Amino acid sequence: MRRDTFLKSLAALAAAGALPLSARAAANVKMMIPANPGGGWDTTGRALGKALTDAKVADTVTYDNKGGAAGALGLAQFVNGSKGDANALMVMGSVMLGGIITGKPPVNLSQATPIARLTTEYNVFVLPSNSPFKTMKDVVEQLKKDPGSVKWGGGSRGSTEHIAAAMIAQKVGADPSKINYVAFRGGGEATAAVLGGNVTIGGSGYSEFAEYIAAGKMKAIAVTSAQRLPGIDVPTLKEQGIDVEIGNWRGVYGAPGISAEQRKALTDMVLAAMKSASWAESLKKNDWTPAVLSGEAFTKFVDDDFASLRAIMTKSGMV
């Protein structure tokens, strides 16, 4: 076979997805991170980018941070600016679903292409070190007496910690529509509010508060997981008689208008990255729980989560 004929055949097989990932030309991936630098989505996107290059399924990964409106601004830029781009990825997760429900942006997540769920990070609720409260039971008793007197601090409206606060109120018999929730633009602002005693109770992913908990500057009183987190001596809400479990899951979507073959190739790249040593290190470093789901199972999961969140948020007066 002539060399030029062989190369054309190789290119055709690669385009059709018939070659293993290692035999295809590695991609130049463009990663949309619909959040400001330093938060959970940013950390996830950059960890995934490193895993893609370490797994040799991407030559390069470039990052574009576009924060605001619980990810809706980045989603709009991604939907409008990357149509048909088979090498484009966008980090997203449960917070974006909540933001879409409350904010009703002009673009919709269904315009982009589901690729995979990656991780779940459970929330921790903490008290300022000088708080008169000592336990979640203390907070709940005050919540029952006067819901508005308990100031909850956390991420954007519709975030997992906001929804968890509403679920806690609902489960203990308080009016969830009367909770006093203070939304902050990022983990740094929420951390400062807890450290300064400007909120009664704060919520975030465990990794964002971990160093302050370890230093005794915050008191951890509950986690939102089903079981205690490995190596972390903090009781679950369920242990304390509050039947609430919620995880801040994160995933990735592809661009609008890509073909089924392109979607599969992109999914295969992401799944290969999940098997890299680099990704294993990121899971450990950030206290992320692996929660890999792809294909139609991921599409259905997002649809079901949308419906569940909408029902909770409607009952709580968030929408």
Side-chain angles (χ1 to χ4, degrees):
M1 184 184 288
R2 287 174 50 189
R3 184 174 181 275
D4 59 342
T5 306
F6 170 75
L7 291 174
K8 284 177 184 176
S9 300
L10 192 66
L13 284 167
L19 287 173
L21 282 169
S22 58
R24 298 181 209 167
N28 298 308
V29 173
K30 287 162 272 186
M31 185 85 66
M32 162 56 70
I33 300 173
N36 295 326
W41 282 349
D42 185 59
T43 306
T44 300
R46 291 174 192 275
L48 177 58
K50 186 174 188 305
L52 286 165
T53 55
D54 284 3
K56 298 190 179 352
V57 291
D59 275 338
T60 62
V61 180
T62 56
Y63 306 94
D64 186 6
N65 287 82
K66 181 73 175 177
L73 296 185
L75 172 63
Q77 183 173 310
F78 185 74
V79 165
N80 294 323
S82 64
K83 289 175 184 173
D85 188 342
N87 289 331
L89 283 171
M90 178 189 69
V91 181
M92 50 73 69
S94 55
V95 172
M96 182 176 281
L97 271 57
I100 289 169
I101 292 166
T102 57
K104 302 179 179 67
V107 292
N108 200 289
L109 188 59
S110 63
Q111 293 171 260
T113 305
I115 299 298
R117 187 181 67 186
L118 309 178
T119 63
T120 292
E121 183 179 19
Y122 292 101
N123 289 112
V124 62
F125 282 109
V126 298
L127 301 171
S129 59
N130 62 351
S131 172
F133 301 131
K134 302 300 176 192
T135 64
M136 181 57 81
K137 183 182 177 184
D138 296 339
V139 174
V140 164
E141 285 176 359
Q142 184 62 32
L143 187 68
K144 288 178 178 177
K145 289 179 195 170
D146 181 5
S149 68
V150 178
K151 190 184 286 188
W152 302 78
S156 59
R157 280 181 57 80
S159 64
T160 48
E161 52 267 34
H162 187 188
I163 293 164
M167 290 170 75
I168 290 167
Q170 193 176 341
K171 291 292 183 182
V172 302
D175 185 347
S177 68
K178 291 183 178 176
I179 64 168
N180 181 3
Y181 186 81
V182 183
F184 295 100
R185 288 179 296 178
E189 287 186 8
T191 298
V194 176
L195 293 175
N198 299 319
V199 294
T200 310
I201 180 171
S204 188
Y206 192 90
S207 61
E208 292 204 33
F209 285 164
E211 65 177 287
Y212 304 101
I213 294 168
K217 295 179 179 179
M218 297 178 181
K219 179 174 174 56
I221 57 170
V223 289
T224 62
S225 50
Q227 290 89 31
R228 291 196 183 200
L229 299 176
I232 295 170
D233 187 24
V234 181
T236 66
L237 287 165
K238 288 189 170 186
E239 275 182 68
Q240 301 176 74
I242 304 167
D243 188 19
V244 171
E245 176 191 342
I246 185 169
N248 181 12
W249 63 267
R250 298 185 182 117
V252 284
Y253 265 53
I258 60 174
S259 68
E261 291 79 12
Q262 289 169 327
R263 179 186 181 186
K264 183 181 184 306
L266 203 50
T267 302
D268 287 347
M269 285 172 58
V270 170
L271 295 179
M274 299 295 95
K275 296 173 183 174
S276 70
S278 167
W279 185 251
E281 289 168 15
S282 293
L283 292 175
K284 184 177 180 182
K285 178 182 175 183
N286 295 292
D287 292 313
W288 294 335
T289 302
V292 180
L293 195 65
S294 62
E296 292 312 306
F298 178 50
T299 304
K300 183 179 185 303
F301 168 80
V302 174
D303 290 342
D304 291 349
D305 206 35
F306 251 128
S308 175
L309 288 175
R310 188 175 282 109
I312 292 166
M313 293 167 78
T314 301
K315 275 186 184 178
S316 305
M318 296 183 203
V319 292

